[in-house]
Amino acid sequence: MYILVQHSISEPSSFWNAVDPSRLPPALQLHHTFPTPDGSHAVCLWEADSTRAVQEFLEPVVGRYSRNEYFRVENRDGVALPSGVQRAAGTRA
């Protein structure tokens, strides 16, 4: 499954220096990282068996430097509509 993590970073220097993508557990894959220029916010796209797996990895590493929100998302590559929201008649999927 794909997990989106939204980071609100209180200590950008500490946060970004704690992150080392080369040391990820084999069960986690980081696909994309989208930081703001000043490093105070970021959105990252992960692939893992569960949201909990990503959270259990990230919180000890960056949890003291940021507030992190975790969301399961529909896809990683393109535009997707939520599968749990019913589309109105006559709209294109």
Side-chain angles (χ1 to χ4, degrees):
M1 82 174 50
Y2 298 106
I3 297 102
L4 189 75
V5 183
Q6 182 174 322
H7 305 282
S8 295
I9 303 164
S10 58
E11 297 180 41
S13 181
S14 298
F15 177 95
W16 293 105
N17 283 299
V19 174
D20 184 354
S22 69
R23 294 186 175 207
L24 297 178
L28 301 180
Q29 187 173 3
L30 178 61
H31 288 287
H32 300 284
T33 300
F34 302 100
T36 57
D38 67 357
S40 66
H41 292 85
V43 176
C44 300
L45 181 65
W46 294 81
E47 186 173 355
D49 290 336
S50 68
T51 302
R52 181 180 208 107
V54 176
Q55 187 173 13
E56 287 177 351
F57 172 72
L58 281 179
E59 288 303 321
V61 177
V62 298
R64 65 183 153 244
Y65 310 123
S66 63
R67 183 173 37 93
N68 308 302
E69 295 182 74
Y70 299 82
F71 306 91
R72 182 176 173 205
V73 293
E74 296 288 343
N75 80 347
R76 74 175 191 94
D77 291 319
V79 176
L81 299 173
S83 61
V85 175
Q86 187 173 10
R87 302 282 295 163
T91 59
R92 296 167 76 172

